[in-house]
């Protein structure tokens, strides 16, 4: 039973990471469509990509002894927040030079 519960927890943690990554791009696109400047959106997404994982790790340090199960959720969640970099820094080349961005990113 314990092994099965661990496997179930790992799947749920993986789902949390994927869910966070699916939020970043639509959120950024929605902000741009509402009239927020592209540079401001990129900076916001990059800020979330840096601050959210740091906050999750800090929370892990503060809560590791009280709730070890919470730590197993916070670390993958923090890693998932790094997907906001894709909506921040790593799509910037597409705004700067859309004609040649494909060859630069090898896609």
């Amino acid at each position: 039973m314990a092994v099965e519960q661990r496997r179930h927890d790992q799947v749920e943690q993986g789902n949390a990471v994927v869910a966070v990554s699916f939020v970043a791009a639509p959120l950024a696109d929605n902000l741009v469509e509402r009239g927020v400047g592209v540079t401001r959106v990129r900076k916001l997404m990059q800020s979330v990509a840096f601050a959210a994982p740091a906050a999750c790790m800090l929370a892990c340090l503060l809560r590791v002894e009280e709730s070890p199960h919470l730590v197993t959720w916070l670390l993958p969640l923090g890693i998932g927040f790094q997907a906001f970099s894709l909506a921040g820094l790593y799509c910037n080349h597409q705004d700067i030079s859309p004609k040649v961005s494909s060859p630069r990113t090898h896609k």
Side-chain angles (χ1 to χ4, degrees), residues 17-90:
V17 171
V18 171
V20 170
S21 67
F22 281 129
V23 170
L27 179 63
D29 291 341
N30 191 11
L31 288 172
V32 171
E33 287 174 2
R34 290 183 178 195
V36 180
V38 173
T39 304
R40 185 170 297 232
V41 171
R42 300 284 184 250
K43 288 179 182 180
L44 175 66
M45 294 297 123
Q46 199 61 33
S47 297
V48 170
F50 286 137
C56 287
M57 285 187 247
L58 185 61
C60 287
L61 286 173
L62 299 174
R63 298 291 181 180
V64 70
E65 293 174 2
E66 295 173 15
S67 178
H69 186 69
L70 180 65
V71 172
T72 62
W73 279 91
L74 285 173
L75 283 177
L77 189 64
I79 292 168
F81 275 115
Q82 291 176 349
F84 278 76
S85 282
L86 299 174
L89 173 71
Y90 294 112

Side-chain angles (χ1 to χ4, degrees), residues 85-99:
S85 282
L86 299 174
L89 173 71
Y90 294 112
C91 66
N92 195 32
H93 61 278
Q94 294 171 345
D95 294 330
I96 294 172
S97 181
K99 289 182 182 178

